[in-house]
């Protein structure tokens, strides 16, 4: 699905006024999503198979020019999370003691206690950076780790160190990690908010990108809310602003 805009310049005195007109309304978006869900449901019945709930809906964005900062990771906060209670969540944390020979178990135990005290139940696995290096260095190990969890949260203090360790499997499957501030006042709230982000990579070699906005298990209304949220976000300076789309 593409979101397009129409701009026209009106000259008034010495000033130039740019008027923006949205060519796609919420109603059009909702009808399109309902149509896609109906079509996918019918195809699933024809093949006598259950449609995978992980089937994702993405919003395709076409830019006039590649904006500055291309090649970096970006995130957008959605109204409705793409992660549900059945999805496995992994949290990568900072080691209490750095060093290749240091045992990572004390770190894992420490943060398990931190989560327990905070009443956090949404994390399925804690993984220290040291354990990530030791046990998930090989190609096959990284692939297995990527396939084992739906989303990866990373302690913001070690985010820049962690991303390169994960490898291309995560980038290819759009399982880019989401930064989490572990020293916040309400860890439960911070995790809930982090799980509402959708992550995308801004290409430096093309002017087309896609942003995940929904899953097939979600209602058409919720997916529409997310699409509208992304559109509103794009009106800012993100990706060069509204006039670059």
């Amino acid at each position: 699905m593409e979101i397009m805009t129409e701009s026209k310049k009106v000259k008034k005195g010495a000033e130039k006024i740019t008027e923006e007109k949205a060519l796609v309304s919420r109603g059009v978006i909702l009808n399109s999503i309902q149509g896609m869900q109906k079509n996918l449901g019918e195809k699933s019945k024809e093949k006598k198979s259950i449609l995978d709930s992980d089937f994702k809906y993405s919003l395709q964005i076409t830019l006039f020019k590649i904006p500055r900062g291309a090649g970096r990771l970006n995130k957008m906060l959605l109204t409705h999370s793409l992660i549900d209670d059945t999805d496995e969540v992994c949290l990568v944390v900072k080691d209490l003691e750095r060093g290749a020979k240091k045992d990572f178990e004390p770190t894992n135990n420490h943060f398990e206690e931190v989560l327990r005290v905070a009443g956090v139940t949404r994390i399925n696995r804690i993984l220290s950076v040291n354990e990530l290096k030791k046990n998930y260095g090989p190609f096959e190990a990284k692939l297995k780790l990527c396939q084992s969890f739906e989303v990866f949260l990373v302690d913001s203090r070690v985010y820049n160190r962690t991303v390169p360790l994960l490898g291309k499997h995560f980038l290819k499957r759009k399982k880019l990690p989401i930064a989490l501030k572990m020293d916040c006042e309400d860890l439960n709230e911070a995790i809930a908010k982090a799980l509402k982000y959708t992550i995308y990579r801004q290409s430096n070699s093309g002017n087309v990108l896609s942003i995940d906005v929904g899953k097939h298990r979600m209602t058409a209304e919720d997916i529409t809310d997310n699409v509208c949220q992304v559109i509103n976000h794009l009106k800012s300076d993100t990706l060069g602003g509204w006039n670059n789309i």
Side-chain angles (χ1 to χ4, degrees):
M1 181 190 301
E2 292 187 357
I3 300 299
M4 300 176 291
T5 61
E6 179 181 61
S7 298
K8 61 179 180 179
K9 292 184 178 179
V10 181
K11 193 170 183 180
K12 185 178 180 181
E15 298 180 354
K16 287 185 178 181
I17 302 174
T18 300
E19 296 182 355
E20 294 176 348
K21 180 181 178 182
L23 299 183
V24 181
S25 66
R26 178 184 173 85
V28 171
I29 296 171
L30 178 60
N31 289 337
S32 298
I33 293 172
Q34 288 174 333
M36 286 188 288
Q37 288 185 325
K38 181 180 179 181
N39 185 45
L40 287 170
E42 291 175 349
K43 287 185 177 180
S44 176
K45 291 179 181 179
E46 290 174 2
K47 295 181 179 180
K48 296 181 180 180
S49 62
I50 300 176
L51 187 65
D52 191 349
S53 62
D54 284 342
F55 186 92
K56 292 182 179 179
Y57 291 77
S58 298
L59 181 66
Q60 181 174 297
I61 310 294
T62 302
L63 308 174
F64 288 110
K65 296 181 180 179
I66 300 176
R68 289 179 295 178
R72 67 185 180 186
L73 301 179
N74 291 310
K75 64 180 181 180
M76 287 189 185
L77 184 64
L78 300 177
T79 305
H80 306 283
S81 176
L82 305 185
I83 309 301
D84 62 24
D85 294 338
T86 63
D87 292 322
E88 298 284 308
V89 180
C90 178
L91 172 62
V92 181
V93 296
K94 178 182 178 180
D95 290 283
L96 297 179
E97 292 184 277
R98 293 184 63 178
K101 296 183 179 180
K102 297 294 182 180
D103 185 9
F104 52 76
E105 286 299 332
T107 296
N108 292 351
N109 294 336
H110 169 76
F111 283 101
E112 283 179 1
E113 180 63 14
V114 170
L115 296 182
R116 188 192 67 79
V117 172
V120 175
T121 59
R122 195 62 193 84
I123 303 300
N124 302 99
R125 171 73 187 280
I126 291 178
L127 187 67
S128 72
V129 175
N130 201 13
E131 182 181 1
L132 180 62
K133 290 180 179 179
K134 285 184 177 181
N135 296 347
Y136 298 96
F139 182 89
E140 295 79 7
K142 287 182 180 179
L143 176 59
K144 185 176 181 180
L145 177 64
C146 181
Q147 294 173 335
S148 298
F149 299 93
E150 180 62 24
V151 64
F152 291 82
L153 302 180
V154 179
D155 188 331
S156 58
R157 295 170 294 183
V158 292
Y159 186 83
N160 291 334
R161 290 169 49 204
T162 302
V163 174
L165 295 175
L166 296 177
K168 63 181 181 181
H169 296 302
F170 292 78
L171 178 61
K172 183 178 180 180
R173 290 167 176 77
K174 292 186 177 181
K175 290 188 179 180
L176 304 173
I178 302 170
L180 175 69
K181 290 186 177 181
M182 295 292 294
D183 56 351
C184 61
E185 293 183 1
D186 191 333
L187 195 53
N188 251 321
E189 183 179 341
I191 291 174
K193 182 178 180 180
L195 294 179
K196 284 187 176 182
Y197 279 108
T198 183
I199 306 294
Y200 67 95
R201 189 174 184 86
Q202 188 176 317
S203 174
N204 56 5
S205 59
N207 65 334
V208 178
L209 57 89
S210 64
I211 302 174
D212 291 337
V213 293
K215 285 188 174 181
H216 189 70
R217 58 168 173 75
M218 297 171 64
T219 66
E221 286 283 354
D222 286 353
I223 299 176
T224 300
D225 287 342
N226 285 347
V227 172
C228 292
Q229 179 81 356
V230 171
I231 293 173
N232 288 332
H233 187 79
L234 293 175
K235 290 181 180 179
S236 64
D237 291 334
T238 304
L239 303 179
W242 192 241
N243 289 330
N244 193 39
I245 299 172

